[in-house]
Amino acid sequence: MGHPGKVRRHKMGIRMPAKRTTVRDLRRHNRSLLLSKLYFDGPLSRHELSGLTGLSAATVSNVTAELGEERLITEAGLVESDGGRPRVLLRVDPAYGHVAGVDIGETGVKVELFDLAMNRLATVEHPLASPRPDAAAAVTQVASGLREVITESGIDEATVLGVGVGVPGTVEQGSVKQGTVEQGEAVRVHAPTIGWKEVPLTDLLRAEGVGLPLFVDNGAKTQGQGEMWFGAGRGARHAVIVLIGSGVGAAVVTDGTTYRGSTSSAGEWGHTTIVYGGQECRCGSRGCLESYVGAEGVLARYRKARGGKANQDEDEQTQFAALLESAGKVKAAAKVLEETAGYLGAGIGNLINLFNPERIVLGGWAGLALGEEYLPEIRRVAGEHALAHVFDQTEIELGQLGPDAVAIGAATLPVAALLDQGADPRTAGSKRGTAA
Ligand SMILES: [Zn+2]
């Protein structure tokens, strides 16, 4: 949210005329406040908006008239009022524009297109040939996926407010917070586990012809925002949303905000040590949680237990499903999965002790598959490892958005920019830079 009334100072320390800045910031703050209320809690009447935001009836009336003229909000029927005229309900117009969400995973690229109310209009998925996908190959798939979802849904590209991209690594983006990227600003992705070193992702996407505004963040963080807005995190102020796929990550939400740390890499829970001197991890260290509960690590343990046989024909998800399938018949499979639930429960116990969340949400394709069968065991072990009084106040739940949560969450990044700025992210503020 903006900071109304904050006085900007000139570089030389000379006070700039305060009034204009203050009025502009206040206007943005009010637009942001009302748009956000309508987005998350609409439809609402002007009267309700005034009560919920503390803004005066006159301000609500002026600002909603302005938002209506810009077609950001629309009328959504009438509601009876006590004795008076029926009140008009307002909501954010789902048809105002579209947003795209991209999940660059370790096994494939998924691209989805949504309207502003996050109704899904099209999805495409392209597998990546290698478990250590080349950045250039991934970027080509993203660019063609974007063209495909736009064509498939029959919309005009000019209506797309932005593209959110979730990546399997940490994202370094200069001065910009919250995963948003100004057009023209380079974003570098570090993903040592798949061999990505300072990959200039936005530059590569521009070179592939993607001209839309781009918003990039770590995939666990986009999944986290998706679950917080629309899924199992709704209503919580303090939550940790964990992502277990091939690799492992987490989004730590404290008091409603994703904790980012000094360079935005916070939440690398997968590379916290669960076994001192334990097995080698893809990051180069030893004993990381990811090497015990990430799908790649689990399948490697199962292969070892069966004498090293690997089924090269099947992808990781198929192999993982087969492993869960055989737990009832094959002793080694049951043992590996029980151990996995144990490591995961202990890792969740660490999260509970560190962050005191109200809720832990287990997501990611492997996390959901594992949780489906082993959630009671995971909870039991977490309870053994976390401090008892803290554990008793923590819920541990499965994610509600399914394995698409990273892409859905990525698509919320341009929506978050819209709500935060109180205006279309393509036009908000001055035109900063141009697309590469
Ligand atoms: Zn590691």
Side-chain angles (χ1 to χ4, degrees):
M1 293 293 124
H3 301 278
K6 191 172 155 190
V7 175
R8 294 240 174 102
R9 280 170 196 279
H10 191 264
K11 271 182 198 146
M12 304 296 286
I14 300 160
R15 214 178 155 128
M16 294 291 279
K19 198 169 170 235
R20 259 176 60 193
T21 308
T22 305
V23 167
R24 198 186 64 199
D25 286 354
L26 189 60
R27 178 172 167 270
R28 175 185 133 164
H29 171 78
N30 291 344
R31 288 173 58 105
S32 168
L33 190 58
L34 291 171
L35 260 186
S36 302
K37 257 298 159 235
L38 288 172
Y39 190 77
F40 292 111
D41 303 319
L44 294 165
S45 68
R46 290 178 179 84
H47 181 77
E48 287 170 311
L49 277 170
S50 178
L52 289 166
T53 60
L55 296 176
S56 71
T59 301
V60 170
S61 174
N62 288 338
V63 177
T64 54
E66 198 178 278
L67 294 170
E69 269 166 39
E70 294 166 35
R71 304 195 178 283
L72 270 162
I73 64 172
T74 184
E75 294 187 355
L78 298 166
V79 66
E80 292 299 319
S81 67
D82 328 322
R85 284 185 301 155
R87 291 182 174 130
V88 176
L89 289 172
L90 300 171
R91 64 168 174 164
V92 172
D93 189 349
Y96 175 78
H98 300 94
V99 287
V102 177
D103 174 7
I104 300 182
E106 301 183 5
T107 52
V109 168
K110 186 180 286 176
V111 183
E112 304 197 309
L113 190 83
F114 303 88
D115 68 14
L116 208 46
M118 300 305 286
N119 297 303
R120 188 185 284 104
L121 305 178
T123 300
V124 297
E125 210 170 347
H126 293 295
L128 287 165
S130 149
R132 304 278 182 279
D134 179 42
V139 162
T140 306
Q141 300 289 24
V142 173
S144 69
L146 283 168
R147 286 190 293 269
E148 286 164 56
V149 290
I150 288 169
T151 308
E152 197 180 304
S153 53
I155 62 141
D156 182 353
E157 183 175 330
T159 64
V160 180
L161 306 185
V163 179
V165 186
V167 296
T170 66
V171 178
E172 187 190 305
Q173 36 201 356
S175 59
V176 186
K177 307 174 294 179
Q178 306 294 339
T180 62
V181 186
E182 304 299 348
Q183 287 199 36
E185 180 170 2
V187 165
R188 290 177 195 287
V189 177
H190 305 262
T193 56
I194 57 167
W196 288 19
K197 207 176 158 189
E198 291 192 33
V199 168
L201 191 72
T202 45
D203 289 349
L204 293 176
L205 283 165
R206 296 293 180 224
E208 281 283 334
V210 178
L212 294 162
L214 293 169
F215 302 79
V216 185
D217 206 352
N218 167 264
K221 290 191 177 75
T222 71
Q223 171 188 269
Q225 182 153 302
E227 290 286 350
M228 289 304 289
W229 281 24
F230 305 115
R234 273 200 86 147
R237 296 291 296 167
H238 301 270
V240 182
I241 300 91
V242 310
L243 174 77
I244 303 178
S246 195
V248 173
V252 177
V253 176
T254 62
D255 206 15
T257 305
T258 303
Y259 181 74
R260 309 193 76 86
S262 64
T263 60
S264 211
S265 81
E268 287 291 337
W269 177 57
H271 301 287
T272 57
T273 306
I274 199 83
V275 180
Y276 174 69
Q279 70 191 40
E280 214 173 300
C281 178
R282 304 186 295 176
C283 73
S285 183
R286 284 190 169 276
C288 294
L289 182 67
E290 173 171 305
S291 62
Y292 289 87
V293 308
E296 186 174 310
V298 174
L299 291 169
R301 272 211 326 285
Y302 185 45
R303 267 199 301 280
K304 205 172 156 196
R306 289 191 311 162
K309 271 181 285 172
N311 190 342
Q312 302 287 1
D313 301 334
E314 289 176 335
D315 64 38
E316 217 167 55
Q317 302 201 21
T318 313
Q319 288 181 53
F320 199 79
L323 167 61
L324 283 161
E325 249 323 282
S326 42
K329 298 162 276 185
V330 184
K331 236 179 168 176
K335 185 161 179 284
V336 163
L337 287 167
E338 272 158 30
E339 281 170 7
T340 304
Y343 290 122
L344 181 53
I348 287 175
N350 289 341
L351 288 176
I352 293 171
N353 284 349
L354 276 171
F355 299 111
N356 181 208
E358 295 156 66
R359 206 172 297 162
I360 302 254
V361 177
L362 181 55
W365 65 265
L368 292 166
L370 197 63
E372 200 71 38
E373 298 291 324
Y374 291 89
L375 191 58
E377 176 66 4
I378 293 164
R379 282 200 188 108
R380 189 187 65 76
V381 179
E384 278 177 10
H385 290 266
L387 296 169
H389 66 285
V390 189
F391 177 77
D392 289 344
Q393 295 155 14
T394 314
E395 300 166 353
I396 304 174
E397 305 294 342
L398 292 185
Q400 291 173 356
L401 302 183
D404 281 1
V406 172
I408 298 170
T412 67
L413 298 177
V415 181
L418 170 79
L419 299 180
D420 183 51
Q421 292 158 10
D424 194 321
R426 295 169 300 182
T427 53
S430 54
K431 305 271 189 298
R432 282 164 290 206
T434 48

